[in-house]
Amino acid sequence: MLTNFCFKLRPNVTQSSVMDGWLDMLRSTYNWSLADRIAQYNQQFIQGDYCDIRTRGEACPLTCFVSKNGASGEPWKDTKIDKDGKLKNPRRSAGDIQITALPELKKRVPWFGEIDSTVLQQNVKRLDTAYKNFFSTRRCANEGRGFPKFKNRSNFTSFTYQMGVKVQGSKIYLPKLGWMRFFNFRVIPEGFTIKAATIRKRQDAWYVSIRIEDKSIPDYVLKPLDEVKSILGCDLGITKLVHLSDRHQIDNPKFSTSKKAKRTLKIRQRRVSRKVKGSKNRQKAASKLGRFHKKITDKRVTYQWAVANKIVSRNVDAIALEDLNISGMLKRCRVKTDETTGRFLKNGQSRNPG
């Protein structure tokens, strides 16, 4: 069984400044790795390889780490032959090559050695995950995730430890950062081991999400359809949050669109826009605006958990949810043309409210 526990950290001034510096360095590594992969694709598939006259071997117009003639050394990881007569790991992936180049990065840029090695490796694997999500969703239907984008300070706010994390009471040990206090409001159950920890910076403080695992607890097993006797249907509403099939309705508090919230949001946004760009006062006003958005998010998440608990607590065998393609509903209607004249036909776009 895998689950996550989230806690609010209490770092000192030194630890907080060190983590801020880590985020800047990890963001630069992520962007460099992404640019290196894009350059490799352009060199290999768009520009094309050329043949060296003397060696009669293929070469790339430029040199990058993830190319087959790259600067990271031999691309062939292992040439040993297994029992079936096949090569073991005959080709390195782009992520493996970039992870192998991390020790060289630490030698050339010494301050990268201050970051834990597993954090640097997980940063490259994060890019691998983004690539896998892009190519896997392209094979699916309409909706999917886009191509990985370059990160800035606003959308790169976390890093992950893979090992070495320890918890004792209200203190947590993070490699290269030391012991750090946190608000221990829930005890980790006995038998669970720490698998990973993600440090995330939010508007008000630093948070840690600890992934714990207990293999002795089996995963939840789905009940066969033959044993399902009662079903509760849930339908998303417009004025109400959820409509249930037993005629019960759950209210939508509208935390961000209420009269008071809209007025507060308007005032704080106006204060940010009136400050000089790049000034300390603008940063303070933006931080205050971000804390208000975080407060709305926390209220919404807490209410959603309460609603989910209310739905699950009903005595039914199964719960049915609708699967709406929201992005498809918001898109414009496809253009229709007459086959003979080529003129545009009515496609119902004027009736589509989006």
Side-chain angles (χ1 to χ4, degrees), residues 75-86:
W76 303 100
K77 187 175 183 180
D78 190 2
T79 57
K80 295 180 181 179
I81 300 176
D82 58 5
K83 298 179 181 179
D84 299 332
K86 297 180 180 180

Side-chain angles (χ1 to χ4, degrees), residues 232 244 246 248-250 309-317 319:
L232 179 66
L244 303 180
D246 57 358
H248 183 76
Q249 299 177 353
I250 299 177
N309 187 22
K310 186 184 298 184
I311 294 175
V312 173
S313 61
R314 293 177 178 271
N315 191 14
V316 292
D317 296 334
I319 299 174

Side-chain angles (χ1 to χ4, degrees), residues 302-335:
T302 304
Y303 185 74
Q304 289 174 355
W305 277 107
V307 171
N309 187 22
K310 186 184 298 184
I311 294 175
V312 173
S313 61
R314 293 177 178 271
N315 191 14
V316 292
D317 296 334
I319 299 174
L321 304 175
E322 61 178 347
D323 186 12
L324 292 178
N325 185 8
I326 303 297
S327 60
M329 296 170 62
L330 295 176
K331 288 182 179 178
R332 296 181 61 86
C333 300
R334 291 185 178 180
V335 178

